[in-house]
């Protein structure tokens, strides 16, 4: 059986606009498991067409952390807050 400190849950964090990739890199550099689903899309400018990766859910990133690490995540410049319900961060169920 796992101790209380080792239990990790998935949370959804709201990021600054267009800062999802920076948040992902920063959290991973801190040793935090983060997930940023992306999709490839074609964008056209006047002079070229380019395939870029953009977040599937703009301004959101998923993090797997113990409850005590919420403060560390929220202290990052790119993170605004956790998605909450009833003043508590929403915990996502992990599908196996």
């Amino acid at each position: 059986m796992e101790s209380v400190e080792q239990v990790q849950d998935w949370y959804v964090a709201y990021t600054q606009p267009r800062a999802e990739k920076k948040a992902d890199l920063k959290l991973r550099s801190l040793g935090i498991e983060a997930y940023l689903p992306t999709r490839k899309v074609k964008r056209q400018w006047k002079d070229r067409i380019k395939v870029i990766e953009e977040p599937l859910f703009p301004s959101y990133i998923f993090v797997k952390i113990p409850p005590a690490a919420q403060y560390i995540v929220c202290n990052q410049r790119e993170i605004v807050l956790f998605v909450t319900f009833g003043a508590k961060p929403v915990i996502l169920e992990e599908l196996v």
Side-chain angles (χ1 to χ4, degrees):
M1 199 162 139
E2 295 181 81
S3 71
V4 175
E5 283 129 17
Q6 293 180 356
V7 174
Q8 294 189 349
D9 295 310
W10 283 101
Y11 296 92
V12 182
Y14 186 70
T15 68
Q16 295 285 341
R18 299 185 183 199
E20 304 92 347
K21 290 181 182 178
K22 287 181 184 178
D24 183 47
L25 289 173
K26 187 130 184 207
L27 293 172
R28 288 175 188 271
S29 72
L30 293 172
I32 295 172
E33 186 176 350
Y35 177 61
L36 177 63
T38 59
R39 64 180 177 165
K40 293 184 180 186
V41 294
K42 286 184 182 178
R43 293 285 184 231
Q44 183 172 353
W45 287 267
K46 288 182 179 181
D47 60 339
R48 68 188 185 281
I49 296 174
K50 190 174 180 182
V51 176
I52 61 169
E53 279 193 29
E54 68 178 19
L56 190 58
F57 306 106
S59 295
Y60 292 96
I61 189 168
F62 302 91
V63 292
K64 187 173 186 179
I65 55 171
Q70 291 176 8
Y71 180 75
I72 296 169
V73 173
C74 280
N75 264 350
Q76 305 311 309
R77 176 174 285 157
E78 298 82 10
I79 304 295
V80 177
L81 50 81
F82 283 104
V83 174
T84 60
F85 182 77
K88 291 186 179 181
V90 174
I91 297 174
L92 301 177
E93 288 186 30
E94 191 167 347
L95 300 175
V96 181

